[in-house]
Amino acid sequence: MAVSEEESSSSSSSRPNTSNTNLRSPNADAFYLAKTVLRGSVVLQAVCGHFRSPSSYDVVFGKETSIELVIVDEDGVVQSISEQPVFGTIKDIAVLPWNKRFQVQNPKVMGKDMLLVISDSGKLSFLTFCSEMHRFLPLTHIQLSDPGNSRHQVGRMLAVDSSGCFVAASAYEDQLAIFSLSMSSSGDIIDKRILCPPEKDGGLETAKGSIINISGTIWSMCFISEDYNQPEKERKPVLAILLNRWGSFYRNELLLLEWNIKEQSVQVVYQFAEAGPLAYHIVEVPYAHGFAFLFRAGDIALMDFRNVKSPSCVHRTSLNFTPLEEKKFKNSIRIPDIMDEEGMYSVAASALLELGDINKNDDPMNIDDYSSVQPGSNYVCSWSWKPGVTNGHRIIFSADSGDLYALEVLFESDGVRVNLSDCLYKGRPANALLWLDCGFVAVIVDMADGMVLKFEEGFLKYKSSIQNIAPILDMCIVDYPDEKHDQMFACSGMASEGSLRIIRSGISVEKLLKTAPIYQGVTGTWTVKMKVSDPYHSFLVLSFVEETRVLSVGVNFSDVTESVGFQPDVCTLACGVVADGVMVQIHQRGVRLCLPVGSVHPEGIPFSSPICTSWFPDNMSISLGAVGHGMIVVATSSPCFLFILGIRCSLAYHYEVYQMYCVKLQNELSCISIPQKHLELSRFLTNYAANNSTPAFPSGNHVDNLFLIGTHRPSVEVVSFTGDKGLQVLAIGIISLTNTLGTTISGCVPEDVRLVLVDRLYVLSGLRNGMLLRFEWPSASTLSSTGPTGQQSVVGSSTINFHISSNLLSPNNEVPEIFKSNISGKTEGDLPVNLQLIAVRRIGITPVFLVSLSDSLDADMIALSDRPWLLQTARHSLSYTSISFQPSTHVTPVCSVECPRGILFVAENSLNLVEMVPSKRLNVQTFHLGGTPRKILYHNATRLLFIMRTELDNDSCSSDICCVDPLSGSVVSSFKFEPGETGKCMEFIKVGCEHVLVVGTSLSAGPAMMPSGEAESTKGRLLVLFLEYTQISDSGSVTQRNSPIGGYSADQLFNSSLCSSPDDNNYDGIKLEETEAWHLRLAYSTIVSGMVLAVCPYLDSYFLFSSGSTFSVCGFANDNCQRMRKFASARTRFTIMTLTSHFTRIAVGDCRDGVLFYSYHEDSKKLEQVYCDPVQRLVADCLLMDVDTAVVSDRKGSLVVLSCANHLEDNASPERNLTLSCSYYMGEIAMSMRKGSFSYKLPADDMLKDSDDATNNINSSRNCIMASTLLGSIIIFIPMTREEYELLEEVQARLVVDPLTAPILGNDHNEFRSRESRAGIRKILDGDILGQFLELTSMQQEAVLALPSGTPNVTVMSTLKPPMPVMVNQVVRLLERVHYALN
């Protein structure tokens, strides 16, 4: 992604005619695909349970538009396991614990907790985690209400009975529903249900026979636990709800509802109202029959509901931690404050009356008269119970002061006692708390990073952060010519938690070491352990064209080649440890066995020099090799032979290599891999043979040695070597791939092959043409459908025959005569088994190398091609994510005491030691700014970031503009606004050959507009700033150079990469001294009527600014930044929010009328409105893609593309509406959008060889849009051709109805993405739905495309053409290109 020049400055051309066809959209139709590249980081709900398996302990974050499953490891680091979009808006989530009374036929659900989600789909969704698909899938949906966000329909809040037998769901107001769960063998989850009240505007019967209603806001609810010894048929669940009635004298109303399941009726068994402190939550005490906490403003009341008809308050705890005048977080700001900063959502607020206590005499519910405890000044924000404790009751809670406390409930013979702990931790108020196993506590904070704490010595200690980059108020994308990865700089957080975030694509790595570029010609890298069971690597082996070097692994990498014994003057083909303390080097001329000395490793031999012995194949050269425990496999070419070698010890420290078996090959081998011995591996193959009638291992045999080979046939084969049967080909996968035209793809020779065992056994192979394949053992049904294996030409795919040579042959004996074996008598069930090709992906054009991160068969891998990718082996099909590192030629894991997760890359002739950072769920670097960053600009000349801050905790000013060094995050200088002045906007404006910074501010307190949208009577200021460079010489004299920004050679100052370490202050040998500084200076300012909310450049010598509902065209006389002139002004009906321009076109976005197009006539110096938005729209941001097309995001979560390309401007009038080209409902508010170039073309894309297609692709790539949202998401909108759009539209219509890929919360996908849009408007394709296609296996992809088309978007094209046949290869190829480019 790269920012176009139009984004950073105005057009460089003079002012030609607006009818210039080169500047107009070539096609009025816009075709886009929207893909989320970074999901929102705002956590609104957090729950924990056993979701993946009965023994796992998992955490689920609800993030409004997505859900994320994470774990907290033993170090307290949060690691993401799975994250998926929900294609809807989450209202609440809860855990349904597994109940032994549930009868479920599906064994994959047995013992696992379920996730309950209530959403804008109007459904209650029961989700279970599917290990095969590695994400949540729905078990069932219960329709509660119509889709949407009506406050009167059930779908706001959830409550689950602690036994997992009952669930309640409420609306915002007036209504709720209760369900009993059965989980019967028939598959039904819901047994019975009841709506309260049963009719709209109805009431509920009380115990005395009267009728009351529950009209009002339902603040909180919980089930009151029953006596579990009670017979199940007699159980009557009781639900407690907190109600706030509109206009009621009483602030709190507590209702206890009892559901008589047998009679299907709900009765109000108790009602209590009080005018005391406001009650926020009611919380059940788990494993304590009939008790609940009532959290009120200033205190916590423990309620006894064992007798629901006569409850009482048994204890009250005052919350008086922080005096009001000393509240710590006075600058705390919420999301509504961001939205309402200009007053656009102002509504009348009802004041809560401070009513005195009412005399309740002897009422046991008279909480405030219970004791002499006086209410405090604090309240509970969030809480969590200690997990897994049935005989103790401890709860941790966060007060609004940010302090964490614990309460312990003790049930003693003389009554109930509640103990309040001392303050356990001081921080920010928590939105959510989770008390986890092993003493960990997850703290979720609003608009700031969360934390993982741990109980140590009675207090909570900080362990790690839970990253949250929301809200993103502004961002800029920087494309460095010397950088391999583009980066985004984002304004994140609010007030004291405001920060600059540097966001990079891919998986984050921490750079530990980089050598000088002196390693030319590296042909291979390996790390070797001294003993198979060692936890750390001992040696790093580097192979060159004609040389080999062995380095010790540790703090320093020192050369120990001579002490290890490797032959230094040869190119090493493979190496490894064949037995404890015995290392093997394979080179072209032979195999060398070495015993390193004790000086380089404690387990070495006690001699001064290593002991070495060799084995040589007579008159042949070795081309490939692999080393395993107890076995060495080498292959030769011309002629082609495969040798199985072993080692034996004759005397102490004296080993020899001997030849055990020899095979003559029909096809040359391309790669060999020996997996680690694993008990589960033998067990899997034996069970597979038994279950599929394949006599793979006769009774009494097991796999002693197993290895994999890739051949030039091409094929991949799994071969076993046993002492009695010799060599057997157990399984074979033939590689025969075709492109969309049906022709065979060339270069499909395996470059690498690996065996993986995660839940199931499968084979991964990287090909020389940049493709990645996954093979699996077929099921019994697949075997029977393909016929007898003996009828298929799979035997001897790589071998003419097997020959067992004598075990007594000396290492250097000649290869004996080959004995021919009889292979004609194969019958059904004989070996080998045909492997099934599950998935094919292209990840580049260079050969794909597979490098496991550990020796385990379930370890993740690095797939190295054009760039490094992390291949997640536990995922279904093929799942890979780019690693945030430059293209490399070789890679190997390096595990040492100092760096247990190290990875060594060879890139640009340098060795680079990095470490993947598990603590960073997001690849984000953070620099705290101490205020809310509102706007950000990047200046190319100085390589500085200009950031506008507000809400500063500073006595002299509350807002400023600071210059930040993006390498260190340090503030180089700042320009402070006047007291009471707040920065609103800024932009670089060209003045002659230089640039100045034009800034708009507000001089008035309060909102910028009235509730009607019209501008308030306020004042603002327009400022022009330039950058001054100051240098203090050694003599103490000060050298100043005053010039507009960009007047100096920045290459002399900041000539470095942003990928450098944040602590590195050296810039390619030039250090920024403390005696050098940049300072912003004021050149011009003027006070205007109205807040200046928008500024933008216009053409070469003008700029635009808005104040209130007026915007003006201005410039600088004689290119003097101190002489500003206003040339023309225009007025809109409502307050102007955004200004943008492209060439001569001006787009004005206001808070009611949407986007208006204007033209400026230089001759008459007049502004003329030529087009307007067809609908009312509250604009958040706007981009002009060209003079005819605007992309607009609004504050309801939608993005639309507007165009006037089909209209003539000669007779245009303001009444001529713009055309709605396409729309997309994001469900998130995009406050900032940027235009850039993006090409989803692979380095060698056969589909773009045609010059016209290539030209169209390049032109459309410049119209890519990147949007950032208040929830912290980053969404990219990619332009597509009509043909690509039609193809993917057909695929999307099928994916939204397939059970594996449909929206998991039951939303109608078309309805969700069409919200806030007119009917009949083309929809932007949903890349998140389409991205799931790549997660499916080839058979599942075929099944999806075989489905009848769902209900595709109603577009002109779909009514003119019949549905086209969709090919899997064609779809995969297109989606692969998008995935490749986004990473």
Side-chain angles (χ1 to χ4, degrees), residues 113 154 288 343 441 477 508 607 668 1060 1153 1197 1372:
D113 297 338
V154 175
V441 176
I477 307 163
S508 173
F607 301 109
E668 183 181 354
S1060 302
D1153 283 338
V1372 170

Side-chain angles (χ1 to χ4, degrees), residues 1264-1321:
C1264 178
I1265 304 117
M1266 191 77 92
S1268 60
T1269 73
L1270 289 180
L1271 293 183
S1273 297
I1274 297 173
I1275 305 171
I1276 187 170
F1277 294 84
I1278 306 166
M1280 315 201 79
T1281 64
R1282 176 187 288 268
E1283 292 74 19
E1284 292 170 338
Y1285 181 92
E1286 291 176 348
L1287 171 67
L1288 294 183
E1289 185 184 34
E1290 288 289 331
V1291 178
Q1292 178 174 294
R1294 291 166 169 83
L1295 288 171
V1296 297
V1297 296
D1298 186 84
L1300 291 178
T1301 54
I1304 64 170
L1305 301 186
N1307 288 79
D1308 181 325
H1309 181 267
N1310 188 51
E1311 183 274 333
F1312 177 71
R1313 294 302 185 195
S1314 302
R1315 291 180 187 174
E1316 306 298 331
S1317 175
R1318 289 182 173 182
I1321 302 301

Side-chain angles (χ1 to χ4, degrees), residues 43-57:
V43 178
L44 301 180
Q45 301 94 13
V47 295
C48 56
H50 307 286
F51 298 112
R52 289 180 297 160
S53 70
S55 60
S56 68
Y57 194 75

